[in-house]
Amino acid sequence: MTDSPDAELLAAFWAYEQALATNDLTSLDHWFLDAPGTLRAEGDTVLVGHTAIADFRRGRGGAPARVVERVHVVRPATGVAVVTAETRRQDGTRGLQTQVWQHTDAGWRIAAAHVSAVAAPTPDDRPDPAVWRVAGRHEDGGPLVASTGQGPLAHIRTAVKDLFAVAGQRVGAGNPAWLAEARPEPAHADAVRRLLDAGAELTGLAQTDELAFSLAGTNAHYGTPVNPAAPGRITGGSSSGPAAAVARGWADLGLATDTAGSIRVPASYCGLYGWRPTHGATPTGGVLALAPSFDTAGLLARDPALLRTAAEVLLPPDDAPVPVAELIVDEELASHAEPEVRASFEAACRALSLRTGLPLVRTATGAAEHLPEWLAAFRTVQAAEAWEQHGAWITRHPGALAPDVAARFENGRRVSAAERAAGEQVLADARKALDAVPPPGSALLLPATSGPALHADAPPEEVEAVRAATLRLTCLASLAGLPAVVAPLLRVRSLPVGLCALGARGTDRALLDLAARTTESRSPAHA
């Protein structure tokens, strides 16, 4: 029992516990100190600020049912109390929660909280279906393909997006109807084979948005993966599965595709490094296409050095890569991001320049004035190619796709031959204009996405609006076939946003080397 001086404190504690049990979001917001420095930590995730904590609770759907068995109170200073509770869940697992309470004019409030990470058991220890379509060999729990133990990627656990052929496995493409008709692949996709030859372990086939035609990562059939870098929010897509697997530590490397941003967006939302290569620089044989004029095969990783090593396995030889000698910022292009993102982007660009010793050059590239026309042409041609690839299957399977994905394919069906030809001409002119933007030896810096990850329960109209805004930033690399590398250097309301470095064709290695330099005494910029 606790002495009476703690009665008010314990009344607040039990009220908070009751709010947790009933998922009373209003009360939970009430008990946490409304301040930018309020903390909530669980596992390896730290949420900073009342808003970030409230966002997490909104997307979580309530805490697991539990019983508080013992409560301990320590008073380290006047007006401050540390409360530690021992808890037991219905499945018998035990945990701890520790809170630092601060006495304010309004009463006791939680200034910091730490929850012990108790792994929730899953039936038969089955893999998360929102992340994995196939995870390892079910009979022994091992990888789909074991490492040879030799090579630069020896024993690197690799999650492969479920668009790449893996010998003996079917390609699921994020859709159960597609999977049901697929046949086992006779051989590995070229990129898969190269990674395996370099010693990588194929840990599993990771989920994708349906037929890779989305940037959200919210698959209507398999669910929305957890984003550990932004709890309660989406991972981004269409490389949602590999991104989630890497972000959660279930894989070291993700082999994925990027057509309109499907590597760059998940990297931005999940706090990862991501690489979209120069178009045609990496092999796409054995990969299910979406829009071949823009499709690329690239990588995701938590470590930029690993990203660089794995990219070397996929890239053609280059004896004399030109290093990045200057950083370019076009403020008109960056203006397409949200204000908070722009503020963090500005700070991150200055920090990167200071860290690397590279000059930061501010210039108008001229791309911004053409961007609306270029983006419209890109979306037209992409949709037309996507319908060309999959229209026959979609016609035979009405209702098989989620409404938003089906609508994008329908837009492609409606593109006339004349509209497609006009769009292709606009894109050809755009590529010529972008041949010198940026020139070799430089990197054009952009926010990777227009904002941080959306809430997992965001309405469709908000998802589509954010998709359109982000495409304004991602389409330049896609329509011109340029390489791009994303580094997790921005923070907005304690949420990650990527810094994207765009280079001239064939400067992949220079951009990857630049990304590796971001870990030198890195200090993310905040807004």
Side-chain angles (χ1 to χ4, degrees):
M1 297 297 293
T2 309
D3 295 337
S4 57
D6 291 325
E8 181 188 357
L9 170 66
L10 286 180
F13 168 81
W14 287 113
Y16 172 73
E17 186 66 25
Q18 177 64 24
L20 279 174
T22 59
N23 196 33
D24 182 346
L25 299 180
T26 301
S27 294
L28 292 171
D29 287 348
H30 168 81
W31 290 114
F32 263 81
L33 184 65
D34 191 355
T38 302
L39 295 177
R40 182 192 184 278
E42 182 174 3
D44 61 356
T45 299
V46 179
L47 302 175
V48 183
H50 187 275
T51 300
I53 296 168
D55 286 347
F56 161 73
R57 286 193 298 262
R58 176 187 167 197
R60 180 175 59 167
R66 65 190 182 188
V67 174
V68 176
E69 295 187 323
R70 298 178 68 190
V71 178
H72 309 270
V73 178
V74 176
R75 297 277 204 144
T78 301
V80 177
V82 178
V83 179
T84 298
E86 300 176 54
T87 61
R88 176 173 48 82
R89 292 183 179 179
Q90 292 179 332
D91 59 19
T93 57
R94 296 180 179 275
L96 296 174
Q97 62 175 29
T98 300
Q99 301 148 358
V100 178
W101 289 77
Q102 179 178 325
H103 198 270
T104 71
D105 292 341
W108 288 100
R109 296 292 185 270
I110 300 171
H114 180 269
V115 181
S116 63
V118 180
T122 57
D124 304 321
D125 199 26
R126 288 177 292 183
D128 184 347
V131 176
W132 299 106
R133 213 263 298 162
V134 179
R137 298 189 302 268
H138 295 301
E139 66 273 14
D140 61 7
L144 284 182
V145 181
S147 169
T148 63
Q150 303 293 323
L153 298 180
H155 303 294
I156 293 298
R157 299 169 301 158
T158 304
V160 174
K161 188 175 182 177
D162 196 14
L163 299 177
F164 290 80
V166 172
Q169 299 290 331
R170 296 174 293 165
V171 172
N175 183 276
W178 184 283
L179 176 64
E181 296 181 355
R183 296 181 178 180
E185 296 292 329
H188 296 312
D190 294 339
V192 173
R193 177 179 49 77
R194 288 196 191 182
L195 295 178
L196 293 175
D197 287 348
E201 165 194 302
L202 203 166
T203 305
L205 292 173
Q207 295 286 13
T208 174
D209 293 5
E210 291 183 271
L211 299 177
F213 207 175
S214 179
L215 289 177
T218 53
N219 191 298
H221 308 284
Y222 300 112
T224 301
V226 170
N227 182 348
R233 294 173 180 258
I234 60 176
T235 57
S238 63
S239 303
S240 53
V246 173
R248 294 174 75 170
W250 293 344
D252 307 305
L253 186 70
L255 176 61
T257 63
D258 186 308
T259 301
S262 289
I263 286 174
R264 290 165 286 163
V265 172
S268 181
Y269 288 173
C270 295
L272 300 174
Y273 290 87
W275 167 55
R276 174 204 161 88
T278 299
H279 191 266
T282 58
T284 54
V287 182
L288 185 67
L290 174 65
S293 294
F294 314 109
D295 294 345
T296 58
L299 300 167
L300 291 153
R302 296 185 303 278
D303 176 10
L306 173 59
L307 188 76
R308 176 67 168 82
T309 299
E312 193 66 47
V313 172
L314 299 180
L315 283 168
D318 184 353
D319 295 331
V322 178
V324 173
E326 69 175 9
L327 308 173
I328 298 174
V329 171
D330 184 334
E331 294 179 355
E332 287 187 81
L333 289 175
S335 70
H336 290 290
E338 297 171 4
E340 289 179 296
V341 173
R342 295 201 300 270
S344 186
F345 170 72
E346 174 63 25
C349 290
R350 291 198 302 268
L352 181 61
S353 176
L354 290 170
R355 186 180 301 125
T356 60
L358 298 175
L360 185 62
V361 179
R362 301 180 188 277
T363 185
T365 64
E369 63 181 290
H370 300 289
L371 191 56
E373 180 188 17
W374 291 351
L375 176 56
F378 170 74
R379 297 186 77 168
T380 295
V381 176
Q382 180 198 26
E385 290 193 9
W387 181 258
E388 185 175 67
Q389 292 292 319
H390 302 303
W393 183 88
I394 293 169
T395 301
R396 295 195 306 270
H397 299 80
L401 298 174
D404 59 327
V405 179
R408 294 184 196 111
F409 279 105
E410 177 63 17
N411 290 338
R413 185 187 68 80
R414 294 174 178 171
V415 174
S416 68
E419 289 171 331
R420 178 171 177 175
E424 289 172 341
Q425 183 58 56
V426 169
L427 294 182
D429 294 339
R431 292 183 186 110
K432 292 179 182 178
L434 289 170
D435 274 345
V437 181
S442 65
L444 175 64
L445 304 182
L446 291 167
T449 51
S450 63
L454 283 172
H455 291 288
D457 60 354
E461 58 271 18
E462 184 179 359
V463 174
E464 188 57 34
V466 169
R467 179 177 185 272
T470 290
L471 280 171
R472 297 186 186 100
L473 295 166
T474 61
C475 74
L476 289 179
S478 297
L479 65 87
L482 303 179
V485 173
V486 171
L489 298 183
L490 278 61
R491 301 292 290 182
V492 175
R493 302 187 303 277
S494 301
L495 300 169
V497 177
L499 177 72
C500 181
L502 194 71
R505 291 183 187 88
T507 60
D508 300 75
R509 288 179 173 86
L511 295 180
L512 290 159
D513 289 340
L514 176 65
R517 297 177 68 181
T518 65
T519 59
E520 300 169 3
S521 303
R522 194 179 81 205
S523 179
H526 290 261

